[in-house]
Amino acid sequence: MSQSQHLPPRQSSRRDFVRTSAAIAAVGGTAVASTVQAVEHAEHPSLIQAGNTILFQGDSITDAGRDRKTADKPNQQKPLGNGYAWLASAATLVERQDKDLRIFNRGISGNKVFQLADRWQQDCLDLKPDVLSILIGVNDIWHMLNGNYDGTVEVYEKDYHALVERTKQALPSVKLVICEPFVLRCGAVDDKWFPAFDGYRAAAKRVCDAAGAVFVPFQSMFDRAVQYAPPEHWARDGVHPSPTGAAMMANTWLRAVGV
Amino acid sequence: MSQSQHLPPRQSSRRDFVRTSAAIAAVGGTAVASTVQAVEHAEHPSLIQAGNTILFQGDSITDAGRDRKTADKPNQQKPLGNGYAWLASAATLVERQDKDLRIFNRGISGNKVFQLADRWQQDCLDLKPDVLSILIGVNDIWHMLNGNYDGTVEVYEKDYHALVERTKQALPSVKLVICEPFVLRCGAVDDKWFPAFDGYRAAAKRVCDAAGAVFVPFQSMFDRAVQYAPPEHWARDGVHPSPTGAAMMANTWLRAVGV
């Protein structure tokens, strides 16, 4: 009997399987308890496997001052920048030092979805990532709100969906991570962003679900985080995270991806 | 049959237990696999339970600019500072928002073990922490090396052990977390720190093991991290972590404590 025939998708992983076996061995097969509580606690399998190439893609939040000249060098701070992508990479590399991972960042400040598409061949498909993490959307609305772009939320969703489909056709085994666009209510982010911004978040989630991708709930995380420090602590201008904001994003990413 | 009679200490937790039950339910009781691999993958139970008071104690690395005036206010950034203690707290609070936790920081810059002892009643025991995390040691060697303190590594270990024993007597059910003192080889940290510093790390580990505490391997983490960014990236002066260094410490703490 193969386990994949009998486990629901989110709980079916070799990791859970071996964990189970250990626990069965430990309790001598007598374990019984609430499965409801258990399912709440169950973790996702890790997306990241030995030998994987991991690519972060997006806008300035992903870019975070990365060094362009050394962009082809994996696993180093300068080409990975100073943001969540670097912090998530550093934690992954330190935790999985034996896994021979190669991690790259190709985020570019100011990008909207159509600009990712313009450079997708060389900055994504040619790198043949095993795991691809995308965070895009805040400029799609921001540049529209300030009159520098005429794209709507429908354009965002259509372009994003097409980009993901193109990726899956070129790289059929790629594991996709779609990050939730987020803002903090401070700095450049005022009332005119809402409720429009929620539409962009919802669109990203639909793109994610249609692709069977892993979703990283950045907005949900920040909505909780503002109970403990004001919005400006997490992102002074409401868009670009502080080092602390980036650290929280990295935590959320690592948890979603299962590192 | 109680599970505590049959599970080894590190694997025995309600969390593992319920996870096990879910997996048993999922595979219909047919799970069999390598227990060796399973034990390698098994995670620690979380030290943090609903309603817990958590206290961070230590020196400047823990202090990290915390606001003294609001020190009695739990769960807020200003009294928790800007270091690993705040980042670990923020992640814990966001992840465990339903757990009614109360988190405090009482680190004070420049402290050595004997200075913790001097203020232990009001700054630790009176707070009655359920989980107590201590990071202390770098000043015990640093102030000795620069001629401002005559304590040896033996004094450090004896004082630290006595402080932990005093804590356990006053708070018999406290869960202890002992953090490994660490340095990066840059800034103020030159060759004259070695091999003496390794003796302080080893002493902290012995204190930890004697107390049955959870150990947080900060030095081991940074020894790996310097493969991906130079020592100055993690701590410019070799002692006080950068925001990125603090983020990595928070990750390591969270993993050790099982958040």
Side-chain angles (χ1 to χ4, degrees):
Chain A
M1 184 178 86
S2 95
Q3 51 168 318
S4 61
Q5 289 177 282
H6 296 269
L7 296 180
R10 282 303 212 184
Q11 279 78 44
S12 68
S13 74
R14 171 142 188 84
R15 192 169 153 206
D16 281 349
F17 190 67
V18 293
R19 188 182 279 150
T20 306
S21 311
I24 290 171
V27 300
T30 65
V32 285
S34 157
T35 56
V36 174
Q37 197 171 352
V39 169
E40 284 172 2
H41 283 81
E43 290 175 27
H44 301 174
S46 179
L47 244 57
I48 297 172
Q49 302 300 321
N52 276 183
T53 294
I54 302 160
L55 175 62
F56 287 91
Q57 261 291 8
D59 54 32
S60 57
I61 301 166
T62 304
D63 184 335
R66 69 182 177 87
D67 180 42
R68 304 291 200 269
K69 295 190 300 293
T70 54
D72 291 333
K73 193 167 180 182
N75 305 353
Q76 292 295 309
Q77 183 268 316
K78 288 190 176 182
L80 287 169
N82 283 294
Y84 80 93
W86 158 236
L87 288 170
S89 299
T92 301
L93 290 164
V94 165
E95 295 286 349
R96 305 276 177 98
Q97 199 165 33
D98 56 335
K99 298 296 186 201
D100 192 28
L101 303 174
R102 291 163 54 83
I103 312 186
F104 300 95
N105 182 352
R106 287 288 190 285
I108 291 190
S109 287
N111 268 195
K112 296 174 275 293
V113 175
F114 81 86
Q115 291 156 319
L116 290 189
D118 285 347
R119 60 189 182 83
W120 208 238
Q121 186 63 46
Q122 66 272 30
D123 278 352
C124 175
L125 305 182
D126 288 352
L127 286 162
K128 297 184 172 53
D130 301 289
V131 176
L132 169 63
S133 177
I134 310 175
L135 170 58
I136 197 79
V138 74
N139 293 317
D140 297 75
I141 178 169
W142 198 3
H143 297 184
M144 182 269 288
L145 288 174
N146 64 22
N148 293 318
Y149 178 56
D150 61 1
T152 61
V153 67
E154 289 78 18
V155 170
Y156 170 73
E157 183 166 356
K158 182 167 160 287
D159 286 359
Y160 203 170
H161 184 74
L163 185 74
V164 164
E165 285 305 304
R166 175 181 167 197
T167 308
K168 291 177 74 173
Q169 290 209 348
L171 307 168
S173 63
V174 70
K175 288 169 278 187
L176 282 163
V177 180
I178 303 278
C179 301
E180 185 179 30
F182 65 91
V183 289
L184 283 294
R185 293 203 183 213
C186 60
V189 179
D190 56 22
D191 286 347
K192 74 172 188 292
W193 285 64
F194 303 95
F197 186 72
D198 299 323
Y200 285 78
R201 294 199 293 121
K205 182 70 165 69
R206 283 191 295 270
V207 170
C208 178
D209 290 347
V214 167
F215 191 65
V216 185
F218 286 144
Q219 185 68 60
S220 314
M221 179 273 289
F222 279 124
D223 286 347
R224 292 182 169 200
V226 293
Q227 293 182 39
Y228 310 109
E232 295 79 2
H233 178 79
W234 306 108
R236 186 173 298 272
D237 70 359
V239 171
H240 298 94
S242 64
T244 315
M248 289 293 280
M249 291 174 66
N251 268 331
T252 305
W253 191 93
L254 292 164
R255 189 174 172 87
V257 170
V259 173
Chain B
M1 183 177 89
S2 96
Q3 52 168 318
S4 62
Q5 290 175 280
H6 297 271
L7 297 179
R10 282 303 213 183
Q11 280 79 44
S12 68
S13 75
R14 170 143 188 85
R15 190 170 156 206
D16 280 352
F17 190 68
V18 293
R19 189 181 279 150
T20 305
S21 310
I24 290 172
V27 300
T30 64
V32 284
S34 157
T35 55
V36 174
Q37 199 173 350
V39 170
E40 285 172 0
H41 284 81
E43 290 175 28
H44 301 175
S46 178
L47 244 56
I48 297 171
Q49 302 300 321
N52 276 183
T53 294
I54 302 161
L55 174 63
F56 288 91
Q57 262 291 8
D59 54 31
S60 57
I61 301 166
T62 305
D63 184 336
R66 69 182 176 87
D67 179 43
R68 304 291 199 269
K69 293 191 300 293
T70 53
D72 290 332
K73 193 167 182 183
N75 304 352
Q76 292 295 309
Q77 183 269 317
K78 287 190 177 184
L80 286 168
N82 283 294
Y84 79 94
W86 157 237
L87 289 169
S89 298
T92 300
L93 290 164
V94 165
E95 296 284 349
R96 304 278 175 97
Q97 198 164 30
D98 56 334
K99 297 298 184 199
D100 191 27
L101 304 174
R102 292 163 52 83
I103 314 187
F104 299 95
N105 182 352
R106 289 286 191 283
I108 291 190
S109 287
N111 268 196
K112 296 175 275 293
V113 176
F114 81 87
Q115 291 156 319
L116 291 188
D118 286 348
R119 60 189 183 84
W120 208 237
Q121 186 64 46
Q122 66 271 32
D123 278 353
C124 175
L125 305 183
D126 288 352
L127 287 162
K128 296 184 172 52
D130 301 290
V131 176
L132 168 64
S133 177
I134 310 174
L135 170 58
I136 196 79
V138 74
N139 293 317
D140 297 74
I141 178 171
W142 198 2
H143 296 183
M144 182 269 289
L145 288 173
N146 65 22
N148 294 319
Y149 178 55
D150 60 1
T152 61
V153 67
E154 289 78 19
V155 169
Y156 170 73
E157 183 167 356
K158 184 168 158 287
D159 286 359
Y160 203 170
H161 184 74
L163 186 74
V164 164
E165 285 304 305
R166 176 182 165 195
T167 308
K168 291 177 72 173
Q169 290 208 350
L171 305 168
S173 64
V174 71
K175 288 169 277 186
L176 282 163
V177 179
I178 302 279
C179 301
E180 185 179 32
F182 65 91
V183 290
L184 283 294
R185 293 202 183 214
C186 61
V189 178
D190 57 21
D191 286 346
K192 74 173 187 291
W193 285 63
F194 302 95
F197 185 72
D198 299 322
Y200 285 77
R201 293 200 293 119
K205 184 70 165 68
R206 283 191 297 270
V207 169
C208 177
D209 291 345
V214 167
F215 191 67
V216 185
F218 286 143
Q219 185 67 61
S220 315
M221 179 273 287
F222 280 123
D223 286 347
R224 290 181 170 199
V226 293
Q227 293 182 41
Y228 311 109
E232 294 80 3
H233 178 79
W234 306 108
R236 188 173 296 270
D237 69 359
V239 171
H240 298 94
S242 65
T244 316
M248 290 293 279
M249 290 173 67
N251 268 332
T252 305
W253 191 92
L254 292 164
R255 189 175 172 86
V257 170
V259 174

